[in-house]
Amino acid sequence: MIEMKNLVKKYGGKVVFSNFSLSIQQSSIVGLYGRSGSGKTTLLNLIGGLDLPDSGDILVNHKKLTKSLSELADYRRTYLGIIPQSFALLNFKSAFYNIALPLIGKAGKEEIEKEIEILSEKLEINTLLKDRPTELSAGERQRVAIARAVITKPAVILADEPTSALDETTQSIIKDLFLQEQNRGCTIIFSSHNKTFGEFADKIIQLP
Amino acid sequence: MRECVRNDVQRNQRNFLILIVINTLLFASIYFMSVYEFNFYGFYHASLPNKQKQMMLIDYSGKFTSDQAVPLINTDQQMKKSKLFSMYEMYDQFIEWVHYSGPDKFGDGYEEGHFQGEKSVYQYNGKTYASTSIKSTQLSLNCFSKFSLQTDRGRGFQESDYNLHFGDTVPVLLGHEFTETYKVGDQFKALYLFSLFNFEVVGFLKEDSYIKQNGYGPASYLDRDVILPMFNITDSPKNQDDAFFRTLHYSNKTSCLLEYDSSVTAKEIAEELNRISSSNGLPEYQKYKVTEDGLAQISTNQMYRALSVGKWLVFFVCMGTFILLINRQIKAHLVDYTIYSLFMSYQKISLSLMLEMTACILASTFFTILIILALSKSLMYAGELLLSSGLLIVLLTVYIYFKMQHVDLKKYLVEGEQND
Ligand SMILES: Nc1ncnc2c1ncn2[C@@H]1O[C@H](COP(=O)(O)OP(=O)(O)OP(=O)(O)O)[C@@H](O)[C@H]1O
Ligand SMILES: [Mg+2]
C-alpha cells in the first residue's frame, strides 16, 4: 500500500504538485495520464525515491519513505522494479546482462538463465539476448528494461510510459505480463499517453 | 560489486589509462619541483649528525683562462671574510711526481685499476718530464682541526706554510704508508697543475687519518696521499704559465666546503656567494647542499628560474587536466552507477568508484617512483611522495563520498542522458 499525502513539488518557481494526495492499494494497477509535462515522471520518481518532495509524505506500507540515499537504494533494490522512461540500460553490456543485473549476487547462474529464458520468450526478445542495447530497436530496448524490472518479482513496478515505443501487438504482451504480475500480488503504477493501453487498469489518475 | 568494478574498468579503460598517465606526470612534476624548490629556498634541513651546522659544497663554473686568476683570488679572500660561513678548502688534485721510484699503490687510480705508471708529461713551457701521477690532497689549515688530523713524525702544517711565492719549496705531509719508503726531509720534484714545484716532506700523518669530502659523507683515507697545503700565492706571476697556474689553483681552492649556522638558510648563503662572485665578474658557483642522502644542487641562475616557471606551468596544466579528467571519470561513472543504483546497494557503488580512484593513484605513484629512479637514481622524498598520494586518496574519497551523497539520480534517468 502506497500513500501520498499533501505532496508539494516545485522546480524553481514551477509548481508541479501543489497539494497532491493519492492512495494506491496493494495488487492494484494504477495508470497515470496527463499531457507531457504534467508530472507523470515526477510522481513516479517521488515514489521510487529518485526525487524528494518539497513537503508532504510518501508512506509505503504505513512507513514514511526515508531521505537517506543509501536507504533509498536499498528500498529500490528490495522492493521496486523500475522501468525508466529512458530505459537506462548499460550500453556496454549485452541485453542478457542488463536483464540479469538485479539478480547478480542474489541468484545462481542457472536460476538466472532459466528466469531470463522464460521472460525473454514471453517478451519476444529471446533471440536478442547477446546483443548490446545500441544494436537494438527502441521497442526491443524497452522490453529489455521491462524484463529487468520484472525479473526480481518486485512488490511494486514503476513503469514510466512502458509502451511508448511498442506497437499494438507488443503492447498487449506487456498488458498480459502486467496482469500476470498483478495475480502474484504485485502493485503496478504506470504512466502513459495512450488511453487504450490503460483499459485494464484498476484506477486511472488524470494529472492536470 | 566485483562485476561492477570490472565493467567500469573495462569500459573506461582508456580514460583510466589517460588518468594514470596524467597523474604520473603530475606526481613526477610535483616531485621534481619540490626537490628543486626546496633546494632553492633551502627549506630542506637535513637531519645531519650536527644539527647546529649545515654544509654546502661549491664548485667554480667559470672559464679556465689566465685572466680569471685575479678575480678568483679576490673571490677567495672575500669568501674567507664572510661572516655567514666558514670555508674548508679541500681538493684532491693529483701531482705528477718526476722520476718517481716508490711503490705503485700511491699512484693515482691504483685502487680503481687504472694506474698508468710512468709517462711523459708536458709542462706548459714546453719541457717534457718523465713523471707518475700520485694521489694528492690539498687542505686548508682549518681542515686539520675539523677532521682531527695529526702527525706522528715530523711536524704539522703552520700558518707560514700557506703563504708561498713562485719558486718556493712547498712543504708536504705524507700519508702513513709512505713511512715505509720516505722520511722527513726528503725532497722531490713534481708538477702540480702543470707547474713544476720542489716539495719537501715535513711530516707524516697518523695511521687511518681521513677527511670527509662532503663534511659528513663517506671517509676518504689519507694513508696513501701526499698532503699539500692549499696555499695562497698572491705575488704577481712572472709569466703566462704562472698566471694560468693561479687560475687553476684558485678555482680548486674556491671549490670548497662551506659550513654555516642552521639559523642561516641555504638561500642566504647562495645569495652571498652570488654577490661575491658577480662583484668579481665571475659566473655563479655551482652549489650543492649536503644532505643525509647526498648532494642536492642549489641553483639560482636565470635559466633555473625560467625552468622553475616552466615547471609550475606543467604543474598547473597537469593539475587542471587531472581535475577535469577525474570529474569526467566520476560523471561517466555516475550515469552507470545511477543505473546500478536502481538495482544495487549504494555503498558498494561508491566503494567501487573509490577503489578505482585509489587504484589509479597507486598505479601513478608506482610509475612516478619508477620515473624518479630512472632519472635521478635515488629516492629522495619517496616518503613524502607516498604520503601525498595517501592524502590525495583520502581527499578523493571524501570528494566522491560527498559527490555520491548529492547525486541527482533522476537527472540521468529522466533526461535519458546516457553514456557512450
Ligand atoms: N529537473 C527538473 N528541473 C526543472 N524542471 C523540471 C525538472 N524535471 C521536471 N521538470 C518540470 O516538471 C514538470 C513535470 O515534468 P515530468 O517529467 O514529470 O512530466 P511528464 O508528465 O513525465 O512529461 P512527459 O510525458 O513528457 O514525460 C515539467 O514541466 C518539467 O519541465
Ligand atoms: Mg515523463
Side-chain angles (χ1 to χ4, degrees):
Chain A
M1 163 122 160
I2 298 172
E3 292 161 277
M4 281 152 269
K5 287 185 184 160
N6 311 105
L7 286 187
V8 175
K9 181 70 193 173
K10 295 178 201 154
Y11 288 113
K14 192 193 287 173
V15 182
V16 186
F17 297 112
S18 56
N19 190 1
F20 184 83
S21 298
L22 175 67
S23 178
I24 296 169
Q25 296 304 316
Q26 173 129 18
S27 310
S28 61
I29 298 182
V30 177
L32 303 175
Y33 288 87
R35 299 170 288 104
S36 179
S38 58
K40 303 182 290 294
T41 301
T42 304
L43 189 61
L44 288 169
N45 281 343
L46 289 171
I47 300 171
L50 296 165
D51 205 349
L52 298 173
D54 297 314
S55 71
D57 291 319
I58 298 173
L59 294 106
V60 177
N61 293 335
H62 311 292
K63 229 182 116 228
K64 246 169 108 173
L65 211 55
T66 163
K67 282 194 164 75
S68 142
L69 283 180
S70 60
E71 281 172 37
L72 283 174
D74 288 340
Y75 153 72
R76 283 191 293 271
R77 189 164 53 91
T78 53
Y79 197 71
L80 303 182
I82 296 179
I83 305 165
Q85 190 167 9
S86 64
F87 315 150
L89 299 175
L90 296 168
N91 284 335
F92 55 99
K93 282 291 179 185
S94 66
F96 181 91
Y97 182 92
N98 271 285
I99 301 173
L101 184 66
L103 286 182
I104 287 169
K106 282 190 205 160
K109 193 166 174 274
E110 276 169 31
E111 193 189 329
I112 294 177
E113 276 172 4
K114 213 177 102 216
E115 292 284 338
I116 291 182
E117 196 187 314
I118 298 168
L119 204 52
S120 60
E121 259 169 41
K122 201 178 291 172
L123 289 169
E124 296 176 354
I125 48 173
N126 48 335
T127 55
L128 312 168
L129 291 177
K130 284 199 171 58
D131 295 343
R132 293 179 177 221
T134 42
E135 297 154 354
L136 301 178
S137 75
E140 287 161 351
R141 270 183 284 149
Q142 189 155 38
R143 279 173 284 159
V144 171
I146 293 170
R148 181 183 58 185
V150 171
I151 196 147
T152 53
K153 301 196 168 60
V156 176
I157 292 173
L158 300 178
D160 200 355
E161 316 219 8
T163 57
S164 60
L166 302 180
D167 57 49
E168 295 207 348
T169 331
T170 328
Q171 279 186 21
S172 72
I173 297 176
I174 305 300
K175 184 182 116 185
D176 291 344
L177 180 71
F178 281 179
L179 288 170
Q180 193 186 327
E181 289 296 302
Q182 183 188 30
N183 281 339
R184 68 160 178 85
C186 179
T187 308
I188 297 158
I189 308 170
F190 69 87
S191 75
S192 182
H193 278 115
N194 182 350
K195 284 258 161 88
T196 57
F197 176 71
E199 280 163 358
F200 65 100
D202 302 315
K203 190 172 183 175
I204 297 288
I205 310 291
Q206 182 71 42
L207 296 177
Chain B
M1 185 198 55
R2 249 187 291 119
E3 262 312 292
C4 189
V5 174
R6 199 163 52 87
N7 293 335
D8 286 309
V9 171
Q10 232 171 48
R11 192 178 58 92
N12 292 310
Q13 229 162 27
R14 210 192 48 203
N15 276 1
F16 192 67
L17 286 180
I18 294 174
L19 206 60
I20 288 178
V21 170
I22 294 279
N23 209 6
T24 304
L25 221 73
L26 173 77
F27 282 8
S29 68
I30 293 177
Y31 175 85
F32 284 108
M33 225 163 37
S34 35
V35 169
Y36 284 102
E37 288 299 306
F38 279 176
N39 290 336
F40 176 53
Y41 292 115
F43 289 151
Y44 187 81
H45 277 261
S47 46
L48 292 168
N50 176 4
K51 286 196 174 168
Q52 306 300 305
K53 298 286 181 190
Q54 301 284 315
M55 293 290 182
M56 190 187 289
L57 214 64
I58 63 172
D59 234 330
Y60 176 65
S61 66
K63 289 179 293 186
F64 291 97
T65 50
S66 46
D67 58 354
Q68 301 289 299
V70 174
L72 276 164
I73 291 170
N74 291 339
T75 298
D76 183 58
Q77 287 171 349
Q78 286 166 25
M79 280 185 185
K80 283 234 171 61
K81 280 191 200 128
S82 172
K83 291 189 177 63
L84 287 182
F85 52 79
S86 36
M87 282 169 93
Y88 292 96
E89 295 165 348
M90 292 182 270
Y91 213 88
D92 54 355
Q93 172 62 49
F94 60 83
I95 56 172
E96 291 290 343
W97 188 315
V98 178
H99 299 312
Y100 176 73
S101 56
D104 286 356
K105 64 178 178 179
F106 301 131
D108 186 58
Y110 174 79
E111 285 83 0
E112 295 81 17
H114 48 77
F115 172 58
Q116 290 180 334
E118 193 171 64
K119 59 197 178 307
S120 289
V121 169
Y122 290 96
Q123 198 198 346
Y124 255 62
N125 62 22
K127 271 192 200 150
T128 310
Y129 296 91
S131 73
T132 309
S133 308
I134 299 298
K135 289 190 279 284
S136 171
T137 298
Q138 299 81 47
L139 296 174
S140 57
L141 196 53
N142 60 356
C143 292
F144 285 82
S145 51
K146 171 93 183 154
F147 298 107
S148 315
L149 298 177
Q150 288 173 342
T151 49
D152 58 359
R153 280 163 219 216
R155 63 170 180 87
F157 286 148
Q158 311 154 350
E159 200 66 51
S160 58
D161 296 329
Y162 281 87
N163 292 309
L164 299 185
H165 304 278
F166 287 107
D168 283 358
T169 292
V170 181
V172 294
L173 296 173
L174 298 183
H176 181 77
E177 290 187 29
F178 281 92
T179 55
E180 298 156 10
T181 21
Y182 297 92
K183 58 184 191 309
V184 172
D186 282 353
Q187 297 213 351
F188 61 93
K189 283 198 186 321
L191 293 164
Y192 165 56
L193 296 170
F194 305 106
S195 252
L196 188 70
F197 286 89
N198 191 47
F199 293 93
E200 180 179 342
V201 180
V202 298
F204 287 87
L205 286 179
K206 278 187 175 170
E207 194 172 359
D208 292 337
S209 294
Y210 63 84
I211 57 166
K212 290 182 169 182
Q213 291 285 1
N214 301 347
Y216 290 111
S220 6
Y221 284 87
L222 299 174
D223 293 332
R224 295 179 176 182
D225 270 49
V226 175
I227 313 301
L228 268 57
M230 187 60 105
F231 51 78
N232 296 304
I233 191 152
T234 51
D235 48 347
S236 325
K238 290 183 288 293
N239 51 44
Q240 272 300 105
D241 286 353
D242 286 350
F244 182 59
F245 165 79
R246 293 198 313 173
T247 299
L248 296 178
H249 179 64
Y250 273 89
S251 71
N252 284 0
K253 204 164 147 56
T254 53
S255 297
C256 61
L257 182 71
L258 304 182
E259 187 184 61
Y260 56 97
D261 236 61
S262 288
S263 58
V264 184
T265 63
K267 190 189 176 196
E268 288 171 280
I269 301 292
E271 282 169 359
E272 170 89 341
L273 287 169
N274 290 348
R275 194 187 54 72
I276 293 172
S277 56
S278 73
S279 75
N280 290 302
L282 294 179
E284 289 183 7
Y285 274 71
Q286 304 270 355
K287 308 169 199 73
Y288 304 89
K289 195 149 166 38
V290 178
T291 73
E292 237 180 10
D293 303 306
L295 298 181
Q297 186 159 12
I298 303 169
S299 197
T300 52
N301 61 30
Q302 286 303 319
M303 193 168 98
Y304 164 75
R305 284 192 194 116
L307 218 77
S308 169
V309 171
K311 271 190 242 111
W312 278 110
L313 215 73
V314 171
F315 173 74
F316 283 118
V317 168
C318 284
M319 199 62 166
T321 320
F322 179 70
I323 289 169
L324 279 177
L325 275 177
I326 285 269
N327 234 327
R328 213 187 109 184
Q329 189 85 344
I330 290 176
K331 202 185 156 201
H333 279 79
L334 283 179
V335 178
D336 299 327
Y337 282 145
T338 306
I339 297 170
Y340 281 114
S341 77
L342 295 177
F343 311 101
M344 285 183 149
S345 139
Y346 192 78
Q347 281 91 347
K348 285 179 180 175
I349 294 159
S350 332
L351 198 66
S352 91
L353 185 54
M354 289 168 191
L355 277 178
E356 189 188 322
M357 289 300 147
T358 303
C360 167
I361 290 172
L362 288 182
S364 316
T365 309
F366 174 73
F367 288 125
T368 307
I369 287 177
L370 285 188
I371 289 177
I372 293 168
L373 272 178
L375 289 183
S376 64
K377 309 261 186 311
S378 83
L379 264 186
M380 258 210 273
Y381 307 111
E384 283 86 341
L385 183 70
L386 284 174
L387 206 76
S388 39
S389 302
L391 201 71
L392 197 60
I393 289 172
V394 171
L395 283 178
L396 268 176
T397 304
V398 171
Y399 176 69
I400 290 168
Y401 178 79
F402 279 103
K403 187 102 184 166
M404 293 297 277
Q405 289 302 306
H406 296 103
V407 55
D408 188 4
L409 291 177
K410 69 177 186 319
K411 183 175 160 203
Y412 299 107
L413 294 181
V414 178
E415 291 166 6
E417 190 177 325
Q418 281 198 34
N419 215 24
D420 283 5

